[in-house]
Amino acid sequence: MLTTARLALSPLTSDDAAFFYDLYDHRTEEERASGAEWPTPLLVEAMGNFGTDWANTGIGYHVVRLGDGSGPAIGLAGVRFGSLDSTDHLNVYYHIVESERGKGYAVEAMRAALAVRGAAGHGDLPVLALIRPENVTSRRVAERLGFAWEDGRFNARGLCVYELAE
């Protein structure tokens, strides 16, 4: 478990699946009532992949909790392997529940998670953050963490490609 001044971060595991699915549940009431499969197969696959990262690579996403870690999860933060334009890199990810946003938790959690990647022997890979252009808040978090966006650099899905400047 990683700890910061205000947070406790523990590796995401299959035990955290319910929180993971709730975090991504943006269905409308009509969609919920439709009986459509939930969680979606894509989310189940993602949870499976994210849940095995730690065992396979020594890095991955963390579940973020306040204080000593005994309370409810408030988000996810971490780094995992990715590939962009056939180049390996580490991809950062952070998502804090709406009720806890604006308190600096994403920056605090990501600073701790970024420190782990070096300890796991992955400090030489470029570190990227892929962010929707309209997500101004996430872009500000990335910039506070030391990421920079080269104007016009997007991936194939139209996401801004920020790179950690170290």
Side-chain angles (χ1 to χ4, degrees), residues 15-64:
D15 292 341
D16 303 305
F19 172 72
F20 179 80
Y21 299 140
D22 283 347
L23 198 60
Y24 293 96
D25 190 353
H26 304 294
R27 297 174 292 165
T28 64
E29 291 303 318
E30 293 80 23
E31 290 169 329
R32 289 172 201 267
S34 74
E37 185 176 359
W38 185 261
T40 65
L42 183 63
L43 273 180
V44 172
E45 179 182 357
M47 180 61 216
N49 292 336
F50 300 159
T52 60
D53 280 346
W54 287 98
N56 295 335
T57 66
I59 57 173
Y61 295 152
H62 297 88
V63 175
V64 180

Side-chain angles (χ1 to χ4, degrees), residues 94 107 129-154 158-162:
Y94 41 88
V107 171
L130 308 175
I131 304 171
R132 290 187 323 275
E134 69 276 9
N135 192 340
V136 176
T137 302
S138 186
R139 293 175 72 164
R140 270 192 247 126
V141 168
E143 290 164 2
R144 285 184 63 201
L145 289 165
F147 286 80
W149 181 56
E150 180 184 322
D151 194 24
R153 186 175 180 197
F154 297 94
L159 301 176
C160 297
V161 178
Y162 278 76

Side-chain angles (χ1 to χ4, degrees), residues 50 53 59-62 77-84 87-94 110 113-114 117 122 125-131 147 155 157 159-164:
F50 300 159
D53 280 346
I59 57 173
Y61 295 152
H62 297 88
V79 288
R80 71 185 306 262
F81 285 98
S83 180
L84 179 68
T87 303
D88 290 339
H89 71 276
L90 297 177
N91 186 67
V92 301
Y93 179 77
Y94 41 88
M110 279 309 307
L114 285 166
R117 70 161 161 107
H122 306 300
L125 289 172
V127 183
L128 305 179
L130 308 175
I131 304 171
F147 286 80
N155 73 356
R157 293 179 26 221
L159 301 176
C160 297
V161 178
Y162 278 76
E163 187 162 355
L164 185 60

